Amino acid sequence: MRKILSILVVLFAGGLAFAQSADVVTEILNTEEVTYGQVCYLSAVRQGLISENDTYDAAVQVLFSNGQIPEDVDAAAPVYLANLAFVYAQIWPDMKGGLLFKLTKGSPRYAFKQFKTDGVIDEDMDPNSFVSGRDALTILTSCMLQYGSDEAMEMNIE
């Protein structure tokens, strides 16, 4: 079962709408603890804010300048699951959520709770745990399926 899930994650990750280069996706998949730079890169490329040839530092800077992350973080620092949920929640600004999610503009705590409610994140996951690259891409794929309506079906898988 795990093998099948891994293959599906690789196929979906390889076919993200803006088709990040295979080297970057492979690097992220092989990462034990995904970094802010990698998560911001996935988000920024997905939103079309940077090109797939830009750096992780550029991704952090563009998300910070667009107000999608509250502070200028170190691109090499590992990211907690709650903060990953916060960055991913910024990709879909029209995402429906509970009252506190909307009032806090999707703060990490409530973005994490919303993802759990929507089934994007497993119930037993800890918001203060670090995330592997494989899990980060799985969560992104789940978000695309949950919040992206038809966009996940339009992915170009090559």
Side-chain angles (χ1 to χ4, degrees):
M1 179 68 175
R2 192 168 181 101
K3 237 182 198 180
I4 293 171
L5 180 62
S6 296
I7 291 170
L8 288 174
V9 167
V10 171
L11 288 174
F12 276 113
L16 292 173
F18 287 64
Q20 288 91 351
S21 68
D23 293 338
V24 173
V25 172
T26 301
E27 178 187 335
I28 293 172
L29 275 172
N30 293 327
T31 301
E32 286 187 35
E33 292 181 347
V34 75
T35 64
Y36 274 101
Q38 292 169 326
V39 170
C40 290
Y41 175 87
L42 291 170
S43 175
V45 170
R46 179 76 187 95
Q47 295 176 72
L49 300 174
I50 63 171
S51 78
E52 63 185 57
N53 298 321
D54 282 325
T55 64
Y56 296 147
D57 289 321
V60 169
Q61 288 302 313
V62 76
L63 291 187
F64 176 67
S65 65
N66 283 333
Q68 292 188 17
I69 54 176
E71 59 187 40
D72 189 11
V73 294
D74 179 13
V79 65
Y80 292 110
L81 183 56
N83 293 334
L84 176 132
F86 174 73
V87 172
Y88 284 177
Q90 306 304 310
I91 298 173
W92 293 276
D94 297 332
M95 186 173 87
K96 292 181 167 75
L99 179 63
L100 290 174
F101 176 79
K102 290 179 183 177
L103 287 175
T104 62
K105 297 181 181 163
S107 73
R109 173 185 172 92
Y110 293 109
F112 175 79
K113 286 182 174 240
Q114 188 62 45
F115 280 13
K116 280 178 75 170
T117 300
D118 293 342
V120 172
I121 294 176
D122 291 336
E123 284 293 320
D124 62 344
M125 295 185 92
D126 179 14
N128 295 319
S129 64
F130 292 116
V131 183
S132 72
R134 184 174 308 277
D135 288 342
L137 288 170
T138 300
I139 293 168
L140 180 61
T141 302
S142 295
C143 287
M144 290 171 64
L145 292 170
Q146 180 71 29
Y147 309 119
S149 63
D150 294 333
E151 73 186 41
M153 300 307 162
E154 297 173 5
M155 293 187 297
N156 181 18
I157 300 176
E158 294 179 10

